[in-house]
Amino acid sequence: MKLRSHHTIFVRENMSSSWTKELKIICKRLLFQLIQVVTHGLFWLVYHGSGEKIPAIENPLLLDSASALAHKIRTRKVTSVEVIKTFIARIKEINPILNCVVDERFNEALEDARKVDEFIQSGNKSVQDIEKDTPFLGVPFSTKDCVRVKDLSLTAGLYCRRNEKAKEDADTIRLMRQAGAIPFAITNVSEVCMWWETINTVYGRSNNPYNTNHIVGGSSGGEGCVLAAAGSPLGLGADIGGSIRMPCFFNGIFGHKPSKGIVSNHGQHPYPPEELESFLSIGPMCKHAVDLLPTLRIIAGKNVDKLQLDKKVDIRNIKFYYMEDDGGTATVSPVDPEIKKVLHRAVLHLDKEYGVKAQKIHIRKMKNSGAIWFAKLKTKNGPAFSELLLDCKGSVNVYWELLKWLVGMSNHTFSGLVTALIENWGMKYGSEEHSYLVDKCNQLHEELEEILGNDGVLLYPTHPTPAPFHNEPLMKPFNFSYTSIFNVLELPATHCAMGLSSQGLPIGFQAVASLYQDHLTIAVALEMERAFGGWVPPSMTV
């Protein structure tokens, strides 16, 4: 009886401890949500309204996919010069409002285009051979200010690099040129490409084309913005925590983060330590999902054989799973009801159209997404963020810089300095917490791979809310965890644009598959675009 009584006390104490812990989590979540509501209201008072309108799209060439433009150029329905002039004109009319393009090679691009037109007019190569050898011949494309394009800006949003120009092309740019595409613009990024609002002290802040009071995301925010506003037909972004998918989400376009090790990172700045390289990837961003696969095929280069990009995908043969949220992380915003609604619309479509019943699942470890990402990005000897802010030529005194920022004298953004503080205060490499979270990541990877296999796709929110107001991400800094978790899991993920919310802001979700099953997530993006329309030109909402 005595032993039984001690056992009863022990169980009750553990139950009490569990309830106390759960109560603390609930209180923390409620407090965070209350702060979110109050601060969002304050931001609304400051920014309410639709902002400055961008000019309507008048030239139908601006609406075409890059693939359609390439077809028109090689079949002589339009010249490359005409196409590039059209997009240059569009950039010139939208950029004063959106501030998305920070450097250009317009004259050089037009000269490249003239050579393309002369070659096509010569008739020395058949249309079929041109399509096979140079599928994007004569088509302009853009990329972000951390991917090398010879002689163009390469600041990565750092003031200390404000005069830096690339001395050579990145591998991906070289491959795109070989495919006939013509680089013509460089787009804005966040400082050191490590914040999810695009702002820096070199080129300033970029504005959302659907409502200029809202963010474009980051770090490929300028890229997402120029594409959504029809200033470029095709772009390349880079993603280590959602830097392709978040801007695609906020700007209503499509984007793909490839499987680890497929696309070369050579030519990016800053370049990650070796142990982090598999988390970073360059990938395609575009208005139309049809451009995802051919672009990935090009930039994959010699690694393209690891994928199955030529394999025809039957939606009926995919096993679909979905999660409405991460399970309710206390410091991450709840998923907006309209985002859940489009997710449910996709699930219903799969059932009605193909008889495929998506299975709702709950993976508890997803609640640790943000913490896992931070843990996996810790390195034993890698540079600290305070060093990256000076391009690894010293280390920023964060507290002194914050004081300078308060009086408008710092060369750094507030978000950059806060990120450095978070790193300084956070877990240390090799600590018990660090080891625990790394182990959690390995377990989560095994669990997801077991669920998805080689024929499964997970539908999951790309972000919990539509594009916040400018500066609002500072109040919800960990919302990027919805994308970042798949970087450290090294899995392919495609953002699917699903139209606009009732407030006129883009919404959608991401499709995730097992390693090297990129063709499945891209097939899902194509299906969602076919069923729901995809990109909505922002000028149509005026």
Side-chain angles (χ1 to χ4, degrees):
M1 290 293 292
K2 194 173 183 181
L3 283 173
R4 190 173 299 171
S5 130
H6 279 250
H7 175 72
T8 303
I9 292 170
F10 176 78
V11 170
R12 285 175 179 171
E13 285 178 347
N14 273 274
M15 288 176 65
S16 174
S17 174
S18 178
W19 276 107
T20 302
K21 185 178 179 181
E22 188 64 29
L23 184 61
K24 285 181 179 178
I25 292 172
I26 292 171
C27 290
K28 186 177 180 182
R29 186 180 304 146
L30 289 173
L31 178 61
F32 179 76
Q33 290 180 19
L34 177 62
I35 293 170
Q36 297 278 287
V37 171
V38 172
T39 55
H40 183 75
L42 293 173
F43 279 108
W44 183 88
L45 289 173
V46 173
Y47 288 112
H48 73 280
S50 57
E52 190 174 354
K53 303 294 185 182
I54 65 172
I57 296 171
E58 295 181 354
N59 192 319
L61 286 176
L62 296 172
L63 300 172
D64 279 338
S65 66
S67 299
L69 290 171
H71 176 77
K72 288 180 178 181
I73 290 169
R74 62 177 170 260
T75 56
R76 306 186 194 183
K77 292 182 174 63
V78 67
T79 65
S80 176
V81 167
E82 182 182 351
V83 169
I84 290 183
K85 280 184 175 180
T86 299
F87 281 96
I88 290 173
R90 180 62 175 171
I91 286 175
K92 287 181 178 180
E93 67 179 359
I94 63 172
N95 208 48
I97 301 170
L98 302 178
N99 190 36
C100 48
V101 173
V102 298
D103 202 2
E104 42 83 7
R105 57 183 299 275
F106 292 163
N107 291 334
E108 295 86 345
L110 285 169
E111 184 57 36
D112 291 343
R114 290 187 186 96
K115 292 176 182 178
V116 166
D117 292 334
E118 289 173 4
F119 170 73
I120 291 173
Q121 289 293 331
S122 73
N124 291 335
K125 204 168 189 178
S126 70
V127 171
Q128 293 77 15
D129 285 342
I130 291 174
E131 181 179 9
K132 179 184 175 184
D133 297 337
T134 50
F136 283 133
L137 184 64
V139 176
F141 76 100
S142 48
T143 192
K144 63 193 290 189
D145 187 21
C146 72
V147 178
R148 297 178 190 272
V149 177
K150 192 174 185 296
D151 297 328
L152 295 188
S153 180
L154 189 69
T155 73
L158 285 167
Y159 184 82
C160 63
R161 292 182 60 86
R162 61 193 178 279
N163 298 316
E164 287 290 327
K165 302 286 184 179
K167 295 179 176 59
E168 61 181 4
D169 285 341
D171 285 350
T172 47
I173 302 302
R174 174 179 54 80
L175 290 168
M176 289 293 288
R177 286 191 198 255
Q178 288 175 6
I182 299 173
F184 81 131
I186 297 294
T187 52
N188 205 17
V189 297
S190 54
E191 190 174 19
V192 205
C193 299
M194 288 295 283
W195 183 244
W196 56 278
E197 177 171 10
T198 289
I199 179 173
N200 58 67
T201 57
V202 184
Y203 298 117
R205 186 196 310 275
S206 297
N207 303 311
N208 194 294
Y210 294 88
N211 186 325
T212 55
N213 290 327
H214 292 255
I215 73 169
V216 295
S219 62
S220 310
E223 193 61 38
C225 177
V226 74
L227 289 161
S232 174
L234 181 64
L236 296 182
D239 192 318
I240 197 170
S243 290
I244 287 173
R245 288 158 291 152
M246 282 190 292
C248 287
F249 171 82
F250 293 137
N251 293 281
I253 61 172
F254 292 86
H256 180 71
K257 182 201 83 70
S259 293
K260 71 165 183 177
I262 292 297
V263 179
S264 170
N265 287 316
H266 180 75
Q268 280 201 69
H269 189 90
Y271 199 82
E274 184 178 353
E275 57 265 51
L276 304 186
E277 189 176 353
S278 64
F279 306 153
L280 173 67
S281 185
I282 294 177
M285 299 171 67
C286 45
K287 300 189 298 289
H288 302 285
V290 68
D291 292 327
L292 292 171
L293 194 145
T295 308
L296 179 58
R297 183 182 287 113
I298 291 164
I299 62 177
K302 63 183 181 181
N303 292 321
V304 71
D305 291 339
K306 293 181 180 179
L307 305 178
Q308 304 174 61
L309 301 185
D310 294 322
K311 183 177 180 180
K312 188 174 180 180
V313 178
D314 187 338
I315 296 294
R316 295 176 182 84
N317 295 331
I318 298 177
K319 294 176 182 176
F320 283 93
Y321 306 88
Y322 72 100
M323 289 178 64
E324 294 180 348
D325 54 40
D326 64 359
T329 306
T331 54
V332 174
S333 299
V335 174
D336 188 279
E338 291 193 80
I339 295 173
K340 289 185 179 182
K341 186 176 179 180
V342 295
L343 191 56
H344 290 154
R345 285 177 64 200
V347 168
L348 183 61
H349 165 73
L350 294 170
D351 188 9
K352 284 190 171 183
E353 186 80 8
Y354 298 103
V356 174
K357 296 189 181 299
Q359 181 182 342
K360 185 177 181 180
I361 59 175
H362 176 65
I363 302 175
R364 293 179 62 87
K365 296 181 188 69
M366 294 297 274
K367 291 179 69 172
N368 300 117
S369 292
I372 287 173
W373 184 83
F374 278 111
K376 291 290 286 184
L377 259 68
K378 291 287 181 183
T379 59
K380 188 174 183 179
N381 299 310
F385 195 80
S386 56
E387 295 175 293
L388 291 175
L389 287 173
L390 288 179
D391 204 28
C392 295
K393 296 178 177 69
S395 180
V396 163
N397 183 322
V398 181
Y399 299 101
W400 175 240
E401 284 298 327
L402 281 170
L403 288 174
K404 288 168 64 178
W405 181 87
L406 286 172
V407 294
M409 295 181 63
S410 178
N411 293 326
H412 303 285
T413 60
F414 183 69
S415 55
L417 297 173
V418 168
T419 302
L421 274 183
I422 291 173
E423 183 186 61
N424 289 344
W425 295 341
M427 76 189 83
K428 304 302 179 185
Y429 179 86
S431 66
E432 186 177 342
E433 182 186 12
H434 176 258
S435 300
Y436 170 80
L437 288 167
V438 168
D439 187 51
K440 280 286 184 186
C441 185
N442 295 333
Q443 293 173 26
L444 178 55
H445 185 273
E446 290 177 8
E447 185 173 355
L448 263 177
E449 286 281 6
E450 184 177 347
I451 291 170
L452 296 175
N454 291 326
D455 58 357
V457 168
L458 171 67
L459 306 182
Y460 190 69
T462 304
H463 199 80
T465 71
F469 291 113
H470 291 305
N471 295 311
E472 196 177 358
L474 291 166
M475 300 294 105
K476 46 187 79 171
F478 306 116
N479 279 7
F480 74 96
S481 62
Y482 273 84
T483 49
S484 65
I485 187 62
F486 299 111
N487 290 84
V488 294
L489 292 173
E490 304 173 332
L491 303 179
T494 306
H495 174 70
C496 305
M498 293 288 285
L500 306 180
S501 71
S502 58
Q503 301 300 310
L505 293 170
I507 50 178
F509 56 82
Q510 58 187 326
V512 182
S514 291
L515 190 65
Y516 303 142
Q517 305 304 314
D518 300 53
H519 63 297
L520 296 181
T521 64
I522 291 175
V524 171
L526 285 163
E527 178 59 27
M528 293 300 119
E529 181 181 46
R530 184 194 69 79
F532 300 103
W535 171 66
V536 178
S539 51
M540 286 186 176
T541 66
V542 177

